């Protein structure tokens, strides 16, 4: 069994104006090369029925440099990685076709949609000994804010633009972390919009609704953008202001998700959740609230942290979890506006979301052989009232 894994470390870059111009130029050239290689693949298949590979296109890079001297300013391995990136897109396209999924043919990238380039074989001494600079071939030593140390062998070095900011992402091969000790605890979680997470223990995690909080500022910034003339410097500045607001909202949401996921993984051996059709819910009248909560992002982070810690994460069928009584199984249909569940079968009265979380946990436990089936409720029972 492999005892190593890959981990990414992301750091803020502080390039000079000249270096920032070089970084931007590198991105533009990589974007143009990506689009050119995509057109080459399409043309080869359309005219000759031939499928080009990444290796075929990498062999033609010297010819590209001879015809377009500006590409000499870009590291050769960075250009090769562009061909590999396109090849990865095509492999994903064919894999989805084979699986009967929505294929999504690789598309041409606009400047705003191509925001990173990668050094696939960086030097292990890329970061200087004092931790203040990082060496980027063809660009030079760029100031870096090493807010935490990285560990392991550097496998790739990616440079990414987010709004007006630049970041270096070091992907390192590190030893796998030790699994967390067992806690003997299991939990079911119900995802909501008023509260982000409701657990079967009766705990509520508030949903700050970051996008809704920023809506007024976004509206002002968006209207300002719409009034600017296309192609003008003022429009470019207004566009950057809108992007910065959206970036802040995303970071706030990600920070909350990481904290919630980490707490759940540290406290419980088994975490059960609903297998929700989030894409479908994002097309309903609740779309804004669902997207603002970011359930998919939370579940992704939860899955990653659970795997690393050796915890079990189980998704269950979400149907009727909020309508079935967790004690007797009686189905009591209520509208979403009714927040207190009252069972006419056994008389149990409790919060609707806690009842759903208890049902989610109950559905997950039978599929896990090494979990005590008696652990169906927290010792801090959320049941407010019971009957015969």
């Amino acid at each position: 069994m492999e005892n190593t894994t890959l981990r990414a470390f992301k750091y803020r870059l502080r390039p000079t104006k000249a270096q920032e111009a070089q970084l931007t130029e590198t991105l533009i050239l990589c974007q143009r090369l990506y689009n050119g290689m995509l057109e080459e693949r399409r043309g080869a298949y359309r005219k000759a029925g031939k499928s080009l590979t990444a290796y075929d296109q990498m062999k033609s890079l010297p010819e590209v440099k001879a015809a377009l001297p500006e590409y000499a300013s870009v590291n050769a391995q960075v250009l090769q990685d562009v061909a590999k990136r396109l090849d990865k897109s095509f492999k994903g396209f064919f894999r989805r076709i084979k699986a009967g999924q929505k294929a999504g043919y690789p598309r041409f990238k606009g400047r705003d949609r191509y925001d990173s380039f990668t050094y696939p074989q960086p030097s292990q001494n890329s970061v200087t000994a004092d931790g203040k600079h990082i060496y980027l071939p063809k660009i030079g030593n760029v100031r870096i804010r090493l807010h935490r140390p990285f560990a392991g062998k550097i496998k790739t070095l990616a440079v990414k633009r987010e709004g007006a900011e630049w970041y270096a992402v070091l992907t390192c091969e590190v030893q796998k972390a030790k699994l967390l000790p067992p806690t003997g605890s299991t939990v079911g979680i119900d995802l909501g919009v008023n509260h982000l997470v409701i657990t079967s223990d009766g705990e509520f995690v508030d949903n700050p609704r970051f996008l809704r909080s920023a809506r007024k500022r976004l509206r002002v910034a968006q209207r300002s953008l719409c009034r600017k003339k296309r192609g003008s410097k003022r429009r470019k500045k207004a566009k950057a202001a809108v992007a910065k607001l959206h970036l802040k909202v995303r970071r706030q949401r990600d920070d909350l998700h990481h904290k919630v996921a980490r707490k759940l993984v540290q406290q419980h051996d088994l975490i059960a959740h609903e297998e929700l059709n989030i894409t479908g819910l994002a097309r309903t009248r609740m779309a804004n609230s669902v997207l603002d909560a970011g359930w998919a992002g939370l579940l992704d982070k939860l899955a990653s942290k659970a795997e690393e810690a050796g915890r079990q994460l189980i998704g269950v069928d979400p149907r009727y979890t909020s309508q079935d009584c967790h004690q007797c199984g009686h189905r009591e249909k209520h509208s979403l506006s009714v927040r207190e569940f009252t069972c006419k079968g056994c008389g149990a009265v409790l919060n609707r979301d806690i009842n759903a979380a208890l049902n989610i946990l109950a559905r997950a436990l039978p599929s896990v052989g090494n979990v005590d089936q008696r652990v169906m409720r927290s010792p801090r029972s959320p049941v407010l009232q019971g009957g015969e």
Side-chain angles (χ1 to χ4, degrees), residues 22-40:
Q22 285 181 286
L23 292 170
T24 302
E25 181 66 15
T26 300
L27 267 186
I28 292 173
L29 292 174
C30 288
Q31 174 249 344
R32 290 176 181 172
L33 181 63
Y34 182 95
N35 290 340
M37 287 182 168
L38 175 55
E39 178 60 33
E40 184 183 26

Side-chain angles (χ1 to χ4, degrees), residues 49-229:
K50 181 181 178 182
S51 296
L52 297 179
T53 65
Y55 181 70
D56 294 331
Q57 294 190 304
M58 284 191 285
K59 286 195 300 183
S60 65
L61 286 175
E63 299 175 11
V64 173
K65 286 187 174 183
L68 302 170
E70 59 267 29
Y71 278 94
S73 64
V74 183
N75 181 265
Q77 291 188 353
V78 169
L79 298 178
Q80 292 171 4
D81 186 75
V82 174
K84 293 177 183 177
R85 180 186 293 195
L86 178 61
D87 192 61
K88 185 177 179 181
S89 296
F90 271 97
K91 286 180 178 177
F93 168 69
F94 291 120
R95 184 188 68 249
R96 290 188 292 273
I97 287 181
K98 192 173 181 180
Q101 301 172 351
K102 186 176 180 181
Y105 188 82
R107 297 185 295 178
F108 293 102
K109 302 285 188 182
R111 285 192 182 185
D112 294 337
R113 294 189 177 275
Y114 198 98
D115 56 8
S116 67
F117 59 89
T118 302
Y119 297 94
Q121 295 178 336
S123 168
Q124 297 303 307
N125 298 318
S126 295
V127 180
T128 57
D130 59 6
K132 294 183 178 180
H133 294 84
I134 185 169
Y135 177 69
L136 304 179
K138 295 287 187 176
I139 295 173
N141 286 320
V142 181
R143 287 183 62 196
I144 186 172
R145 185 169 178 261
L146 213 67
H147 63 278
R148 62 168 176 159
F150 64 90
K153 181 181 179 182
I154 303 176
K155 303 297 287 185
T156 64
L157 165 57
V159 178
K160 187 176 183 181
R161 180 182 62 193
E162 293 185 2
E165 301 171 357
W166 292 90
Y167 292 87
V169 182
L170 301 175
T171 303
C172 302
E173 186 179 42
V174 299
Q175 294 293 320
K176 284 186 177 179
K178 292 183 179 180
L179 302 182
L180 293 178
T183 64
S185 174
T186 60
V187 72
I189 61 172
D190 182 52
L191 302 177
V193 292
N194 292 325
H195 294 92
L196 179 63
V197 170
I198 303 93
T199 74
S200 54
D201 293 340
E203 294 184 5
F204 293 80
V205 178
D206 289 334
N207 178 19
R209 304 188 186 216
F210 297 111
L211 183 60
R212 179 175 294 185
S213 300
R215 186 171 293 171
K216 183 177 180 180
R217 286 172 291 161
L218 278 168
R219 183 166 58 246
V220 172
Q222 189 67 53
R223 286 175 176 173
S224 176
L225 172 63
C226 292
R227 289 195 295 267
K228 302 298 187 289
K229 183 179 179 181

Side-chain angles (χ1 to χ4, degrees), residues 329-354:
H330 174 75
R331 185 163 297 166
E332 191 68 36
K333 294 187 177 181
H334 296 289
S335 66
L336 289 175
S337 61
V338 179
R339 305 313 304 167
E340 187 177 79
F341 180 87
T342 303
C343 178
K344 294 182 179 179
C346 65
V349 179
L350 72 163
N351 181 277
R352 178 192 182 103
D353 297 325
I354 296 177

Side-chain angles (χ1 to χ4, degrees), residues 222-277:
Q222 189 67 53
R223 286 175 176 173
S224 176
L225 172 63
C226 292
R227 289 195 295 267
K228 302 298 187 289
K229 183 179 179 181
R230 289 187 177 274
S232 67
K233 290 184 178 180
R234 287 186 175 183
R235 182 178 176 84
K236 185 177 180 181
K237 186 176 180 180
K239 187 177 180 181
V242 173
K244 187 175 181 180
L245 285 171
H246 279 291
L247 186 60
K248 181 178 180 180
V249 170
R250 193 192 79 188
R251 287 173 174 169
Q252 288 175 317
R253 187 183 296 125
D254 284 346
D255 180 64
L256 175 64
H257 289 172
H258 276 293
K259 290 175 179 176
V260 172
R262 173 56 61 193
K263 183 178 179 181
L264 289 170
V265 166
Q266 286 177 340
Q267 294 181 350
H268 307 285
D269 294 338
L270 168 69
I271 305 165
H273 69 89
E274 296 172 293
E275 286 284 7
L276 295 171
N277 179 11

